[in-house]
Amino acid sequence: MPDPESPVKMNEPQLSADAKATFDKYSIKDEASGTQVMLVDGFVNAIAPEGANYHKIKREQFAILFSIADTTHTGKLSIQDWANFENLLSKADADYEIAFRIFDTEGSGTIKFDQFQKLYNLNKGSDTIPFDWNSEWTTLYLGGKKNRHDMTYPQFTQMLRGLQGERVRQAFHHLDKNGDGYIEPRDFQRIILETAQHKLSDHLLENLQTLCNISAGGKVSYANVRAFQNVIREMDLVELIIRKAASKSKDGRITRSEFLDEAARNTRFSMFTPMEADILFHFAGLDETSGRLSVGDFAKVLDASWHAPYPPGESSMESEIEDSGKTVLRNVLESAHHFALGSLAGAFGAFMVYPIDLVKTRMQNQRSQQVGQMLYKNSLDCAKKVIRNEGFKGLYSGVVPQLIGVAPEKAIKLTVNDLARRHFSDPKSGAIALHHEMFSGGLAGACQVIFTNPLEIVKIRLQVQGEIAKTVDGVPPRSAIWIVKNLGLVGLYKGASACLLRDVPFSAIYFTSYNHLKRDYFGESQTNKLGVLQLLTAGAMAGMPAAYLTTPCDVIKTRLQVEARKGETKYHNLRHCASTIFKEEGMKAFFKGGPARILRSSPQFGFTLAAYEVLQNLLPLPGSAFAPATETENLTPLRDTIAPLPYLRSRNALKLILDLDQNFGKLNVPNHQGWMGIPGYGGKPSGSSPVAP
């Protein structure tokens, strides 16, 4: 009668279509039987495809699992053997059961200590730190030397659970030659490399000896070693706490205190000691000395697949040269991408508010000193009269050249602001000083004038010709092309100084206000993205002070660019225009069209910026997942495991076996034979004695 505590034997399973396809792909025809069989090489290729990254586990070590599938001990797997192995991998505790079956060589449901020790001794490294199988810890699981008992499946799995800690304890005691409770950093490194190398990242392994720096004396205490082991044993919980704490931080970064506070909120029984927190932040913060660390910093500790940016043997200079070439190309592509999205967003924003812009222009062009020629009382009266005299279509007079010109105009503004902000921002935190924010916005406003000025002068003359036709007889309507030809290249840049005077402060105020509203009022952070309505509101609110405070500059620009009618003052330059307006119409004239300008600029930039950010999400630059982090992309997530579950369970079973010794399953030189200790492996009959290499 089978042991009730042994793994449950399953009925012969039916082979799935995927499992059959895998068997067909990696099997060969057996000449003796004429059937398809899978050999060791094919088995390894099936469960550990060539070319994949297995990190610290050698691909050849997956051959250990062949003895589990080869129940007939012939060195060949039938299709039914493969089906049984696939079925085993589907079990919830497959990783532990595989490890158990490795040592249950007789298939009895129990493991004999003598056989377990033989297999262990045959497959451990020649220079491995010795392990005492007669220690007090061992007797607790297996009984005393004279009263050994066989291990059941639950007993074996629990022993494996605590084995690594005992190996670390015995290794520390072995290397503590003075018996003072301290070892050299190189000895600590040796212990970790022998007991946990297969579970840790390159970053951790390369910096193990720096653990001595967290306490005075230059040596590593046993408390340090146990704290380090506790951290790596609780990696999953540590990651959960870090993610939760980072999600509550505005910049996606956390301090040691914030980690411990979040740990207290999320744990009831697994408390982290101050030393464990010190060790975690020490290794995660080797490249970031500020003490505020991002998830990307912790990934170097928590993610076992993390590795150095260039492979061993390749110089960092070669990598930097290659990366610099990719970065230049990347920057060009990003600029083109920003330009295209900015064009679409700008055209959309301009179209939505064009009627308001037309009203604003006509109000600003109205000269109040001419009695009897006051066409409009206010912005609302202006809109009503435009619709009555020119029809609804009149509200969109000149919209076509506006849309054609506004695309590159807004694209340049958005692209230059993005590039300038990126240049001045801290590469890790994304923080930017206020004066750099304003300079970036002002630079964007200055660069757009090359498109803005010709566009504005053509648009304004098209917008006012409707009212000229109503007040002056015999004036034919002019097209945009006629206006361009009539003005010439120099004429298209008439009032450019006023355009600069308006656009530079407008953009400096607007972009700075917009980013602060998003961050400080709506609470945007690297872990909290805003919705479309919030972006639209932030853009509209930022446009209000920017639009109104720059209205005097806009009035001057409009007066300079509109063709003077008979009897009206002709302005010569910026200073003459400003002084004349003040003398003839007073200070109030400088804020004509101010409300209309707010009503136009505020929603226009709200629509434009909201559309720009939505388009960036809908139409990302191809390959952007691999791009360097920008000011809004600093939160680097830890890698989620997406491999098939059977492979993950095979890998986890190997990790359990490698907890015994890092050399299990490696090829033994010079024999070049696989895991010699497994009876039945490579055709060796079951029950035969293991042969030492």
Side-chain angles (χ1 to χ4, degrees):
M1 186 173 179
D3 190 322
E5 290 188 309
S6 65
V8 178
K9 300 295 188 293
M10 306 293 292
N11 294 328
E12 287 194 355
Q14 296 296 318
L15 196 64
S16 67
D18 288 342
K20 187 177 186 307
T22 302
F23 182 83
D24 291 341
K25 181 177 180 180
Y26 294 106
S27 62
I28 61 172
K29 186 175 182 181
D30 182 28
E31 297 298 335
S33 64
T35 59
Q36 292 293 115
V37 295
M38 185 182 285
L39 303 181
V40 177
D41 290 343
F43 176 82
V44 173
N45 288 332
I47 64 172
E50 198 168 1
N53 177 20
Y54 300 104
H55 197 48
K56 300 299 183 299
I57 299 177
K58 301 296 183 185
R59 186 169 170 268
E60 68 199 43
Q61 292 176 295
F62 280 87
I64 297 173
L65 308 182
F66 184 79
S67 67
I68 304 301
D70 183 19
T71 55
T72 59
H73 310 298
T74 60
K76 304 171 184 178
L77 300 186
S78 67
I79 192 168
Q80 191 58 52
D81 291 331
W82 175 251
N84 291 335
F85 182 73
E86 282 273 311
N87 182 254
L88 170 61
L89 291 180
S90 68
K91 296 178 69 174
D93 59 344
D95 34 21
Y96 277 101
E97 185 166 337
I98 288 171
F100 180 83
R101 290 191 185 188
I102 289 286
F103 293 96
D104 179 16
T105 56
E106 298 177 359
S108 63
T110 59
I111 296 175
K112 298 182 182 302
F113 173 74
D114 290 342
Q115 183 65 16
F116 174 83
Q117 191 174 26
K118 277 185 179 180
L119 294 181
Y120 171 79
N121 289 334
L122 284 172
N123 290 278
K124 72 181 181 67
S126 57
D127 59 347
T128 300
I129 298 172
F131 183 82
D132 181 11
W133 287 103
N134 294 311
S135 66
E136 183 179 352
W137 179 87
T138 307
T139 61
L140 293 173
Y141 282 99
L142 302 168
K145 194 172 183 179
K146 295 181 180 179
N147 298 293
R148 299 290 193 199
H149 63 76
D150 297 345
M151 285 184 287
T152 63
Y153 174 60
Q155 290 170 342
F156 173 78
T157 56
Q158 205 58 44
M159 185 203 72
L160 279 186
R161 173 81 169 162
L163 179 62
Q164 191 177 59
E166 177 63 12
R167 285 189 68 200
V168 169
R169 188 195 68 81
Q170 289 193 23
F172 187 94
H173 184 71
H174 175 77
L175 296 171
D176 180 15
K177 304 299 184 184
N178 299 327
D180 60 356
Y182 289 92
I183 59 175
E184 296 293 333
R186 63 178 178 274
D187 293 330
F188 166 70
Q189 184 177 39
R190 182 185 176 189
I191 291 173
I192 300 304
L193 289 177
E194 287 196 16
T195 59
Q197 178 180 358
H198 56 291
K199 296 179 178 179
L200 305 180
S201 68
D202 289 348
H203 174 80
L204 262 182
L205 296 175
E206 291 166 2
N207 294 284
L208 285 172
Q209 293 195 33
T210 65
L211 182 63
C212 65
N213 295 328
I214 72 167
S215 56
K219 289 190 175 184
V220 179
S221 69
Y222 184 64
N224 295 148
V225 177
R226 294 300 297 189
F228 179 85
Q229 188 186 19
N230 290 344
V231 171
I232 64 175
R233 188 177 59 192
E234 299 287 353
M235 287 291 200
D236 294 331
L237 179 58
V238 169
E239 178 182 342
L240 175 66
I241 293 169
I242 288 169
R243 285 188 177 279
K244 285 194 172 184
S247 68
K248 298 174 182 178
S249 170
K250 284 190 175 182
D251 60 356
R253 293 172 172 269
I254 62 172
T255 62
R256 174 182 176 277
S257 297
E258 289 169 333
F259 170 80
L260 289 173
D261 288 343
E262 192 63 30
R265 296 187 191 100
N266 288 274
T267 58
R268 290 181 295 170
F269 307 110
S270 298
M271 300 296 291
F272 288 94
T273 67
M275 182 179 286
E276 289 164 3
D278 287 339
I279 288 174
L280 174 64
F281 274 75
H282 165 72
F283 285 107
L286 287 173
D287 300 323
E288 175 53 70
T289 57
S290 68
R292 289 189 64 79
L293 306 182
S294 68
V295 176
D297 295 319
F298 289 106
K300 293 182 290 188
V301 175
L302 303 180
D303 185 359
S305 62
W306 188 94
H307 53 81
Y310 50 90
E314 180 183 334
S315 71
S316 60
M317 183 175 292
E318 290 173 351
S319 292
E320 286 173 6
I321 292 172
E322 182 179 353
D323 289 345
S324 64
K326 291 180 180 177
T327 302
V328 171
L329 178 60
R330 178 96 201 157
N331 287 338
V332 171
L333 291 175
E334 282 186 348
S335 297
H337 181 249
H338 289 329
F339 192 91
L341 297 187
S343 298
L344 292 174
F348 173 73
F351 184 82
M352 295 297 289
V353 299
Y354 189 81
I356 303 173
D357 185 56
L358 181 134
V359 170
K360 181 268 305 180
T361 300
R362 293 199 178 182
M363 287 297 297
Q364 288 181 341
N365 187 52
Q366 182 171 253
R367 309 196 185 192
S368 59
Q369 83 276 13
Q370 294 184 352
V371 180
Q373 292 197 18
M374 287 284 291
L375 294 176
Y376 316 118
K377 298 175 184 176
N378 50 49
S379 297
L380 184 60
D381 180 58
C382 177
K384 288 179 179 178
K385 287 181 178 177
V386 169
I387 295 172
R388 184 171 65 244
N389 296 328
E390 304 168 45
F392 185 79
K393 189 171 63 172
L395 291 173
Y396 282 91
S397 298
V399 71
V400 175
Q402 169 76 345
L403 294 182
I404 294 172
V406 81
E409 173 208 333
K410 292 296 183 287
I412 285 177
K413 177 182 284 193
L414 294 169
T415 302
V416 171
N417 180 67
D418 275 357
L419 293 176
R421 286 182 66 88
R422 183 179 302 178
H423 175 75
F424 290 116
S425 296
D426 181 88
K428 292 182 178 178
S429 67
I432 181 172
L434 179 62
H435 63 280
H436 283 150
E437 280 189 290
M438 299 193 72
F439 178 80
S440 299
L443 181 64
C447 290
Q448 79 171 48
V449 171
I450 190 172
F451 280 98
T452 303
N453 208 83
L455 167 70
E456 288 281 308
I457 197 168
V458 173
K459 179 198 72 173
I460 286 170
R461 296 203 174 189
L462 285 171
Q463 287 178 338
V464 299
Q465 72 175 357
E467 67 181 29
I468 294 174
K470 295 296 179 183
T471 57
V472 182
D473 295 330
V475 179
R478 308 294 189 183
S479 67
I481 296 175
W482 185 92
I483 294 171
V484 170
K485 287 181 178 179
N486 185 60
L487 286 171
L489 182 61
V490 175
L492 286 172
Y493 284 92
K494 184 178 181 182
S497 54
C499 210
L500 277 170
L501 190 63
R502 179 198 65 176
D503 290 346
V504 170
F506 179 92
S507 297
I509 296 170
Y510 179 78
F511 283 113
T512 304
S513 302
Y514 176 67
N515 283 285
H516 278 273
L517 280 167
K518 287 198 301 177
R519 184 175 68 246
D520 301 332
Y521 184 75
F522 290 102
E524 184 186 50
S525 68
Q526 293 166 339
T527 57
N528 179 36
K529 301 303 178 185
L530 302 184
V532 177
L533 184 60
Q534 291 171 308
L535 292 172
L536 185 61
T537 306
M541 289 174 67
M544 292 178 184
Y548 194 76
L549 293 174
T550 56
T551 298
C553 305
D554 194 48
V555 170
I556 294 170
K557 179 196 71 67
T558 300
R559 296 289 182 91
L560 283 170
Q561 292 180 335
V562 171
E563 189 175 3
R565 306 172 200 169
K566 278 187 178 182
E568 292 182 340
T569 304
K570 188 173 183 180
Y571 305 115
H572 304 300
N573 52 47
L574 193 69
R575 180 179 294 180
H576 177 254
C577 180
S579 60
T580 304
I581 293 173
F582 181 73
K583 187 191 303 180
E584 295 181 351
E585 304 173 56
M587 189 66 188
K588 188 178 178 182
F590 285 106
F591 289 90
K592 279 186 176 181
R597 181 167 162 75
I598 291 174
L599 288 173
R600 191 270 296 180
S601 296
S602 177
Q604 178 181 358
F605 277 89
F607 282 121
T608 300
L609 266 294
Y612 183 62
E613 299 204 27
V614 169
L615 286 171
Q616 282 183 315
N617 292 326
L618 293 177
L619 303 171
L621 180 66
S624 58
F626 307 101
T630 64
E631 64 173 304
T632 58
E633 299 170 338
N634 287 307
L635 188 62
T636 307
L638 305 184
R639 305 177 191 194
D640 294 319
T641 303
I642 57 174
L645 200 56
Y647 159 71
L648 295 177
R649 285 178 171 147
S650 300
R651 183 201 63 187
N652 290 342
L654 278 180
K655 286 184 177 181
L656 291 173
I657 296 167
L658 293 178
D659 280 349
L660 290 164
D661 193 278
Q662 294 290 313
N663 295 290
F664 267 68
K666 289 185 179 178
L667 293 177
N668 293 308
V669 180
N671 296 24
H672 294 288
Q673 295 181 8
W675 205 52
M676 295 293 293
I678 305 177
Y681 178 79
K684 189 162 49 180
S686 177
S688 62
S689 300
V691 180

